[in-house]
Each structure stands twice: as C-alpha cells, then as structure tokens.
Amino acid sequence: QVQLEESGGGSVQDGGSLTLSCTASGVFPNGACLAWYRQPPNNKRERVAITSGGTNTLYADSVKGRFTFTRDDAKNTAYLQMSRLKPEDTGMYYCALQSCAGDCWWKDLTSDLSSCGRMWGQGTQVTVAS
C-alpha cells in the first residue's frame, strides 16, 4: 500500500507564499486521483483541489487563482503552490489518493473520510498570520 507524506508547511504573513509537497512511497496508482484537503482549527476537513493528472484539476472556489496543484509522476510527488495566502487558509493540509469516479471528483464527501477509497498522509500545518 502506498504511503503519503506531506511537507513544506510553516508560518507566513498574510499575502505570503508556501509550496507543499506530497511524496508517495511508491508509484502513484494508475487511474487514481490525487487531492489536497485542509482542516481549519475547530472545523471540518474541506477539499482544496483534486487532479486526475494532466490538465484535469478542480479547485475550490476559495483558492482559485491563488493555488496551483501539480504532480510529477517521475518523482512520485505532488505539489501545492500557494500564493497570496490569507489567514483563513490556516489549517492542517493533507494529501490523499482517492477515486476519481462520480461524486468523488465533484464533491468533498468529507463527512466520511474513508469514502472514495481515500488514503491519507499525516498532514502538514500551515499558519497564516494577519
């Protein structure tokens, strides 16, 4: 089973930038989607972006135009470039391997974190100070 490890979190000022990495212990499974989620303090987990590879990437409205999700399959690594960060971007950021099918692509479905066959990393903390 592939293990995921996030890195790159930290503390930045309002308007700053960070790049998160998600490295897999093995090859990204064929046909699987990669996604970034975040969980603000005292709040539920929400999806930030999901990609099936290539140009097929879906972003949450709150991060469109500020975050860019890329993956380098040769390095088994995915990246989340975050710019113009805001205090409301604060939270624990997780990457996940999951199904791309149907609602798993179009919706968060985070009321059940195991749905869509999701495999999670341990997370990396992002804090944006005002």
Side-chain angles (χ1 to χ4, degrees):
Q1 187 166 328
V2 175
Q3 306 288 325
L4 302 173
E5 183 174 1
E6 303 91 338
S7 61
S11 296
V12 295
Q13 293 294 314
D14 191 352
S17 300
L18 277 174
T19 296
L20 306 183
S21 299
C22 171
T23 302
S25 59
V27 176
F28 291 136
N30 227 10
C33 272
L34 270 171
W36 282 99
Y37 293 77
R38 67 186 179 192
Q39 188 156 13
N42 303 313
N43 228 318
K44 72 180 199 111
R45 203 168 294 191
E46 60 186 17
R47 197 173 70 193
V48 172
I50 184 169
T51 186
S52 60
T55 58
N56 297 323
T57 304
L58 191 63
Y59 294 94
D61 287 345
S62 58
V63 306
K64 270 182 194 171
R66 300 189 298 122
F67 289 14
T68 303
F69 188 1
T70 56
R71 57 189 275 179
D72 184 341
D73 287 3
K75 295 182 179 178
N76 300 326
T77 301
Y79 305 94
L80 186 68
Q81 296 169 276
M82 307 185 294
S83 62
R84 291 183 281 139
L85 282 161
K86 306 175 184 180
E88 51 263 44
D89 294 318
T90 292
M92 187 69 81
Y93 281 68
Y94 301 88
C95 66
L97 278 169
Q98 64 171 78
S99 169
C100 307
D103 284 352
C104 295
W105 173 261
W106 294 109
K107 299 182 181 180
D108 279 22
L109 302 181
T110 52
S111 57
D112 178 358
L113 295 180
S114 65
S115 64
C116 303
R118 277 178 283 217
M119 291 186 287
W120 298 94
Q122 293 301 305
T124 186
Q125 177 68 35
V126 171
T127 302
V128 184
S130 55

